[in-house]
Amino acid sequence: MPSEIATRLKADTITAMKAKDKERLAVLRQLGAALKQVEVDTREELDDEGALKVMQSYAKKVKDTLASAQEAERADMVAEAETELAIVQDYLPAE
């Protein structure tokens, strides 16, 4: 049985498609691909705990990208990374 997080991600992806929200859709598809990649690599379906670890790893990657963009003073990349991070954090528990 798929994890709650994966199920929610799929439902939100469909909603983003219907709303034609391209930025959100792109991020949700990347998250879905990251989850699927781990499932393929481990040959097991992820539970909520495993899905959460993948999401946290993805969020860390986005934070690193954000830091690099800020150091390089790339306003376009900073805005993009901040938007992506906000979407990813919707799936993470409050810190």
Side-chain angles (χ1 to χ4, degrees):
M1 182 173 179
S3 69
E4 269 185 46
I5 294 172
T7 304
R8 181 176 159 218
L9 182 65
K10 287 177 185 172
D12 289 349
T13 300
I14 292 169
T15 303
M17 280 185 220
K18 289 179 180 177
K20 295 183 178 12
D21 186 350
K22 291 181 181 180
E23 286 180 351
R24 186 170 184 80
L25 180 59
V27 174
L28 294 176
R29 282 183 171 162
Q30 289 176 344
L31 282 172
L35 289 174
K36 190 69 173 172
Q37 185 63 49
V38 171
E39 288 179 348
V40 168
D41 290 348
T42 61
R43 296 184 181 173
E44 293 178 5
E45 201 167 273
L46 291 175
D47 57 359
D48 278 338
E49 186 178 318
L52 188 60
K53 285 181 183 177
V54 173
M55 296 282 187
Q56 288 169 334
S57 172
Y58 189 88
K60 184 179 183 307
K61 184 183 86 163
V62 173
K63 287 176 185 175
D64 291 344
T65 301
L66 180 60
S68 297
Q70 287 172 335
E71 284 179 22
E73 297 179 12
R74 296 278 311 269
D76 57 328
M77 288 179 67
V78 169
E80 189 177 304
E82 286 174 342
T83 302
E84 188 172 356
L85 187 58
I87 294 168
V88 173
Q89 287 179 334
D90 288 345
Y91 293 90
L92 297 174
E95 292 180 1

